[in-house]
Amino acid sequence: MRLSVLDRSHVGRGLSPQQALRDTVRFAQQVEDLGYHRFWVAEHHSVPGVAGAAPTVLAAAVAAATSRIRVGTGGVMLPNHQPLVVAEQFGVLGSLFPDRIDVGLGRSVGFTDGIRRALGRGKEDADRFGEQLAELLTYLDGRQSAGVHAVPAEGLDLPVFLLATGSGASTAAEFGLPLVIAAAHGDDRMIRTIEQYRADFRPSAQASEPYVVLARSIAVAGSTERAERLLVPEAWATAYSRTHGEFPPLESPEQVLAREMSDRQRAQFERALRGHLFGTPDEVAAGLAELVARTGADEVLVTTTAHDPADRLDSYRLLSELSPAG
């Protein structure tokens, strides 16, 4: 079982986004030493609690600071960009860091009207995702589109992954791409989506058979209670975003648990604490084995966040010791 990492460059309360980005690069070096297979960074715009706004730029910094781990994006939101520019950016990355770059793509657009206006995009651009993806794959495959070539990408091995839930998984099957999926609507629905993806998969130049990367938040610690506490900061930030429309910087578990919450906030907070895999090494090993058996996943993309970087690193260390990674 391959274990990989998705880091969203979360900002801690009282810290700067600039420090969060530097911490991401350092974290990549640490998990490379632990033997993880991939390290991916994400794309978010105008989010106070998340610093990762330019994933290909950040991926370049991560790749330059590491030597073995695969580096990519989880993902570049294609509707926010022109396919040619995305192809050229990954072509530059693949040229500078041969055989180490992954192209992870999503179909989301900016979260608010203001962000979409600033990006020059609208909600309708997500409806053109299939068209945009086809154009991008043309460039990456070394073919031309309307007489245009993405020159630095031609001839490179740049694996493409599609981040999707629900109907988006059908796009991955149609284009013959590996699927990256999270249980946004529960494990049962996710498993049905994976089964449909496998049934509909069409082999392509990118992949000859289905490949499923399961994204899951996993927290490992010396006790079940301590592992669950690692999840508290992001759970509160998620609850806050659902009641205020803004994902804030992460607070410590102590600050969150001492906070007075409204009934609505409490309900959202408790909801955000569900759906994670957490516990002692033995508990997580059993849970992970069951999850992989149920989904048939080929790889697990670990998305855990914690307020204290040392606690987060310790969780990833304990997890890496449960199963060979890579």
Side-chain angles (χ1 to χ4, degrees), residues 176-197:
L177 299 176
L179 172 68
V180 183
I181 187 168
H185 305 289
D187 282 353
D188 290 343
R189 182 168 171 180
M190 178 186 69
I191 290 170
R192 291 195 298 271
T193 299
I194 291 172
E195 291 171 346
Q196 192 63 51
Y197 160 76

Side-chain angles (χ1 to χ4, degrees), residues 72-116:
T73 55
V76 166
M77 297 299 121
L78 190 54
N80 289 337
H81 310 279
Q82 293 294 342
L84 174 63
V85 174
V86 174
E88 290 174 334
Q89 289 174 344
F90 279 101
V92 171
L93 284 171
S95 300
L96 296 176
F97 309 102
D99 302 319
R100 291 182 59 209
I101 300 300
D102 300 323
V103 184
L105 305 170
R107 68 183 298 272
S108 296
V109 292
F111 183 66
T112 68
D113 289 339
I115 295 171
R116 288 190 291 271

Side-chain angles (χ1 to χ4, degrees), residues 3-322:
L3 295 175
S4 298
V5 178
L6 171 63
D7 184 72
R8 296 188 289 270
S9 302
H10 282 88
V11 181
R13 178 71 66 185
L15 299 178
S16 69
Q18 294 77 24
Q19 184 61 50
L21 293 171
R22 292 191 290 268
D23 288 345
T24 288
V25 176
R26 175 59 182 151
F27 184 48
Q29 295 172 321
Q30 293 167 329
V31 297
E32 178 179 60
D33 290 340
L34 293 175
Y36 281 84
H37 182 59
R38 307 180 201 276
F39 189 92
W40 284 2
V41 295
E43 176 181 344
H44 296 275
H45 298 284
S46 190
V47 180
V50 181
T56 53
V57 177
L58 184 52
V62 168
T66 55
S67 59
R68 300 181 307 278
I69 196 168
R70 295 196 65 86
V71 177
T73 55
V76 166
M77 297 299 121
L78 190 54
N80 289 337
H81 310 279
Q82 293 294 342
L84 174 63
V85 174
V86 174
E88 290 174 334
Q89 289 174 344
F90 279 101
V92 171
L93 284 171
S95 300
L96 296 176
F97 309 102
D99 302 319
R100 291 182 59 209
I101 300 300
D102 300 323
V103 184
L105 305 170
R107 68 183 298 272
S108 296
V109 292
F111 183 66
T112 68
D113 289 339
I115 295 171
R116 288 190 291 271
R117 283 195 299 271
L119 292 171
R121 295 293 185 267
K123 289 183 178 180
E124 68 280 359
D125 285 290
D127 298 331
R128 298 181 49 248
F129 181 69
E131 175 187 336
Q132 296 167 322
L133 179 59
E135 181 180 349
L136 175 62
L137 291 174
T138 295
Y139 293 131
L140 294 181
D141 290 344
R143 294 171 287 154
Q144 64 176 2
S145 178
V148 177
H149 292 262
V151 174
E154 295 183 354
L156 299 181
D157 180 17
L158 292 168
V160 178
F161 297 76
L162 194 60
L163 285 66
T165 58
S167 60
S170 64
T171 304
E174 176 187 353
F175 282 86
L177 299 176
L179 172 68
V180 183
I181 187 168
H185 305 289
D187 282 353
D188 290 343
R189 182 168 171 180
M190 178 186 69
I191 290 170
R192 291 195 298 271
T193 299
I194 291 172
E195 291 171 346
Q196 192 63 51
Y197 160 76
R198 290 193 175 108
D200 296 342
F201 185 85
R202 300 178 184 176
S204 71
Q206 283 284 335
S208 60
E209 57 187 22
Y211 190 90
V212 175
V213 181
L214 178 62
R216 180 60 58 102
S217 173
I218 303 175
V220 193
S223 69
T224 306
E225 294 74 19
R226 185 172 180 182
E228 187 174 26
R229 283 176 72 87
L230 297 182
L231 305 170
V232 165
E234 186 171 5
W236 166 247
T238 300
Y240 185 93
S241 71
R242 289 171 177 166
T243 55
H244 293 78
E246 182 178 273
F247 192 96
L250 298 181
E251 299 178 359
S252 70
E254 293 75 20
Q255 289 173 307
V256 172
L257 296 175
R259 177 182 292 277
E260 290 289 336
M261 300 184 193
S262 67
D263 290 344
R264 183 184 177 202
Q265 288 174 335
R266 175 67 62 182
Q268 292 288 357
F269 174 66
E270 292 176 353
R271 176 185 174 190
L273 281 173
R274 296 195 291 266
H276 309 274
L277 178 57
F278 65 89
T280 64
D282 287 345
E283 290 169 337
V284 170
L288 186 58
E290 179 184 4
L291 184 63
V292 170
R294 290 186 66 199
T295 61
D298 301 285
E299 183 175 337
V300 177
L301 183 67
V302 185
T303 62
T304 306
T305 300
H307 181 264
D308 187 332
D311 288 340
R312 178 179 65 166
L313 180 60
D314 193 50
S315 176
Y316 276 92
R317 179 184 60 78
L318 292 170
L319 179 60
S320 72
E321 293 170 355
L322 300 183

